[in-house]
Each structure stands twice: as structure tokens, then as C-alpha cells.
Amino acid sequence: MTFETLGLAPRLVRKLAEQGISEPTPIQTKAIPHALAGRDVMGIAQTGTGKTAAFGLPMAHNLLGMGSAPEPKSVRGLILAPTRELAKQIADNLAAYTNGTHLKVNLVVGGASLNAQATRLHRGTDLLVATPGRLIDLIERKAVRLDQTRYLVLDEADQMLDMGFIHALRRIAPLLSKDRQTMLFSATMPKLMADLSKTYLTDPIRIEVSPPGKPADKVEQGLHFVEQAGKTTLLIEHLDAHRAEMALVFTRTKHGANRLAGALEKAGYAVGAIHGNKSQGQRDRAIKAFKSGELKVLVATDVAARGLDIPGVRHVYNYDLPNVPDNYVHRIGRTARAGRDGRAVTYCAPAEMSELKAIQKTMGREIPVEGGTRWSGSQGETSRRGNQSKPSRPNAKSRPRRRTGGRKAA
């Protein structure tokens, strides 16, 4: 099967060839013909399988045949994504597919200038990639109209639901043309997702190319049982073994990401950090430096678990285990991309045993143990209680209370 036999416009096929893309992936092979035919599509495939091209190429093909330019402020195709990183990745891919054509691709996400985005949208847009919150901001400012939107894509829809974007979807959907094609793509299919498809899709074709929770085949996985306090030392030991190779390190919290990045910088690493408290400019600069090789290590929260497509990432470290089991699969899917091999190493502290069990249940297999001894249930429970307890403080009666003049001490 080739992109030509799938029925795509020759100019799109040529653009793919220029990027070294000659054969469609399974999700593309199955989804593109239905999308070209106008069917609503519900696609389920693991991360890194080419979902963006599966929905982006058919939309571009159909829009190329329209001829006329979009009206001011109007949008013809709308792609909603849960995070800024994923939205930018999608927009970059769409821009590459349509480079040299008359199609206009725009990106609107939080953390960037609202006025600048409104100005770009005023000229009309063929393909708009947006995060739901920022799109609603622009709708409220009457900077964009969706009544001519004939194509709607919900990408990584399961994460959108996890992040509470269902309310935003309910506000956006009624503004779109009733005569539209809707495509929903996701790596997992929870019950709420099925309910979502019934609400927004009409007689969809369901396409599933890999079991939910299945990690990328080429990712070599390893597990180390280590106390929380010993994780940084172990991480530095592992990073020292491949200083010339790129590594992506996941933490659970924003503060933890900053703290770990600082420790790695002191250890002599060129390191950056991205998380929800960073501005969009800071996040973009860190990712750009990481892609170029200026940074060898990038520390991130789960904002980077989906949407980062950097083929050079050879190593992924789960410094902290994710609270959502499926995010483990998305995290390790940041390596072994574009047919390359990759390695994912996970550190498990006593308090994380329940998260580990949930991850292994989701995958249907255990992660090979490479270091340490599996924590017993009592160790994990004790550690959890310790994490939940407040730091010990001297008894208030045992020391005089210092007055601060009615103001709280800094």
C-alpha cells in the first residue's frame, strides 16, 4: 500500500516524499480512505503511529479541491488538542504537508499573545490547531467564527477528557457547521470516550490498530526499585553512561521538575525543564534547544508525555511514576520513534507500588527488574503514611511564640 493508492493528491504525496515518508502506517492505511470518503472516524492507536497524518492528509486533500480562500475569521478545519506541545507538533506537521500550497495553517494556544493570534485569524484559516481554552478566549472576543467549519478533529481525546475539557467541547461543538465530518483519535478508549463518540460522531467507522496500553515495540524497558531520596544519584549514574545521547526525564510535579533540573545542572549537564508553570516561549525555547542538541537532557511533567516527536531521543526516564497508568505508555513512546530503538528506565520508590501495579496491569505484562529488590506491601504502606504526614514540628507549648506585629511571617 502506498499514499498514491490511498487516493491522496499527488502534490501531498510529493511533499511526503520530500520528508522521506513513502509508506503509510497501519492507522494511516485504514483511516485515510474512510476520511477521504467523508465518513466520521474513531481511531484508536498507540502513540507514535502517525495519527496526525491519518487525519491531516485527508483534510488537506479535500481543502485543496475547494479553490476559494476562506472568509475572514472563518475556519474550515479545526483540530483540538489537549496540550500546547501536542498542538504545536500537529501544526508543524500540517504546515510541512501543505507547504507550497494555498492552504493556511494557524495555531492558537495559551501562553502566547492573544492579540497576535486574533490578527492572524482575521485573514481566515484553512486548518486551525487549537487548545480548547484559548479557542474559547478567541471566540468570546469574536476573533474567530466556526459556522463554516466542515471538519472537526479531536486528537488525544482521552487526555482531553482527563484534563476536564469536556465542558469546553460542549461550548465549541454547537458553533460548528451541522454538516461536518468529525474524527476522534485516541490511544485508549475509556467508557466516557464511547459516550463522547455517540454525542459528536455520526455512524463512525471504528479503527483500532493496536491494543490500548501497548507500549512501542522497539522500546526496551527496565525497572529499578530505589528509595525516593536515592533517585537523583541513580539517575546521574545512568545519564553518565550515555552523556552524548539525548534523554527525556519525567517527574510528577512542576516543583519536582525544577528541583531535578537544578540538581542535574550542578552535576554538569546541559539541561532544561518544561511544565505548566513555564510560559509558552520558555517551553518552545527549551524544546528547540533539546531538538538541536544544545540540551542533552530535558526534564518534564506529563505535559510532554504526548506531542513531543523528537526522533533523536534515545532514553526516557520515569523519575516518578505517573498517577494515570496510560501516561506511562505515552511517556515511553517519546523514544523509539521513526523506526529507531529506544530505552525506558523506571524508578519505583516504596510509595509508588500501587502506581506500578496499575501500569503493569494496563500493559498486561511486568517491566523487567534491573536493580533493587521489590518493595513489600508493608514498606510501601509505611512510606505512603510517611509522605502524607506533616513534617514534625516542636510542640507549640515547648517554645515561646514569636509575635510578628499581626502579620504572617514570610
Side-chain angles (χ1 to χ4, degrees):
M1 184 67 67
T2 65
F3 287 107
E4 290 97 330
T5 56
L6 290 177
L8 289 172
R11 64 170 66 181
L12 293 176
V13 176
R14 287 196 297 270
K15 285 299 175 184
L16 292 172
E18 290 172 6
Q19 300 169 53
I21 304 171
S22 58
E23 295 182 3
T25 65
I27 186 65
Q28 294 162 5
T29 298
K30 293 185 177 183
I32 288 175
H34 293 293
L36 287 173
R39 285 285 301 274
D40 282 6
V41 175
M42 182 166 59
I44 305 155
Q46 67 192 45
T47 184
T49 54
K51 293 195 289 286
T52 301
F55 62 75
L57 291 172
M59 283 197 297
H61 172 96
N62 290 330
L63 291 172
L64 282 172
M66 295 186 70
S68 61
E71 294 181 10
K73 298 185 181 180
S74 70
V75 173
R76 287 177 167 168
L78 173 64
I79 301 98
L80 294 176
T83 67
R84 303 173 192 175
E85 279 69 32
L86 179 56
K88 186 176 187 305
Q89 186 70 53
I90 294 169
D92 289 344
N93 286 339
L94 294 178
Y97 301 154
T98 59
N99 183 33
T101 73
H102 65 272
L103 299 183
K104 288 185 283 188
V105 178
N106 268 320
L107 170 70
V108 294
V109 296
S113 169
L114 195 62
N115 289 332
Q117 291 176 354
T119 299
R120 288 196 300 271
L121 291 175
H122 184 77
R123 295 187 289 271
T125 304
D126 290 290
L127 291 167
L128 177 64
V129 188
T131 49
R134 176 47 58 97
L135 180 59
I136 287 176
D137 291 340
L138 290 159
I139 290 171
E140 290 176 344
R141 287 183 54 150
K142 301 188 184 306
V144 63
R145 41 184 282 227
L146 304 178
D147 57 300
Q148 295 185 23
T149 303
R150 302 290 300 275
Y151 304 96
L152 170 65
V153 175
L154 306 178
D155 193 24
E156 301 291 4
D158 55 343
Q159 190 181 18
M160 275 201 273
L161 294 181
D162 288 340
M163 297 174 69
F165 286 132
I166 185 64
H167 303 295
L169 292 177
R170 288 172 179 155
R171 290 187 61 184
I172 293 168
L175 303 177
L176 279 67
S177 169
K178 292 182 179 179
D179 181 21
R180 70 169 188 267
Q181 179 185 22
T182 303
M183 292 182 276
L184 181 154
F185 284 81
S186 177
T188 61
M189 186 54 62
K191 182 182 182 301
L192 193 56
M193 186 71 62
D195 296 338
L196 184 73
S197 67
K198 291 177 183 177
T199 303
Y200 296 106
L201 279 69
T202 302
D203 188 28
I205 179 75
R206 175 170 171 149
I207 298 168
E208 187 169 351
V209 299
S210 61
K214 183 179 182 294
D217 294 331
K218 290 181 176 288
V219 180
E220 177 192 352
Q221 301 177 65
L223 174 64
H224 291 258
F225 292 103
V226 56
E227 294 281 358
Q228 189 69 32
K231 286 184 177 181
T232 302
T233 300
L234 183 58
L235 175 62
I236 291 173
E237 179 184 320
H238 285 157
L239 291 175
D240 278 342
H242 54 80
R243 275 186 173 265
E245 296 178 319
M246 298 167 67
L248 182 57
V249 184
F250 284 100
T251 63
R252 184 177 294 150
T253 67
K254 304 165 190 174
H255 177 66
N258 286 337
R259 187 172 59 241
L260 179 59
L264 294 178
E265 189 173 20
K266 287 182 181 178
Y269 286 95
V271 59
I274 61 171
H275 50 69
N277 281 353
K278 296 277 188 179
S279 71
Q280 190 58 44
Q282 290 173 317
R283 288 155 74 162
D284 289 345
R285 286 191 293 273
I287 292 172
K288 182 178 180 181
F290 188 50
K291 283 184 175 180
S292 70
E294 181 183 342
L295 299 178
K296 288 298 182 184
V297 182
L298 185 66
V299 183
T301 58
D302 280 330
V303 299
R306 312 191 198 195
L308 275 189
D309 187 5
I310 305 175
V313 175
R314 177 72 176 80
H315 306 270
V316 169
Y317 290 95
N318 291 295
Y319 185 89
D320 298 316
L321 287 177
N323 292 321
V324 179
D326 288 321
N327 280 353
Y328 172 84
V329 178
H330 297 305
R331 285 180 177 189
I332 71 172
R334 298 310 100 200
T335 187
R337 301 184 76 83
R340 304 185 186 189
D341 293 331
R343 178 163 166 74
V345 176
T346 296
Y347 302 149
C348 179
E352 296 173 303
M353 282 301 293
S354 62
E355 285 87 351
L356 176 63
K357 291 176 182 176
I359 288 167
Q360 295 185 145
K361 181 179 179 182
T362 297
M363 292 196 300
R365 64 174 176 172
E366 292 194 352
I367 305 170
V369 178
E370 297 182 342
T373 304
R374 182 177 296 274
W375 306 112
S376 67
S378 60
Q379 286 174 304
E381 192 60 37
T382 300
S383 180
R384 280 188 179 279
R385 286 198 299 268
N387 287 345
Q388 292 170 358
S389 62
K390 295 179 180 179
S392 59
R393 296 165 59 184
N395 191 310
K397 294 181 180 179
S398 66
R399 61 176 181 172
R401 188 172 182 179
R402 194 168 76 180
R403 296 185 179 276
T404 58
R407 297 172 60 190
K408 291 184 179 180

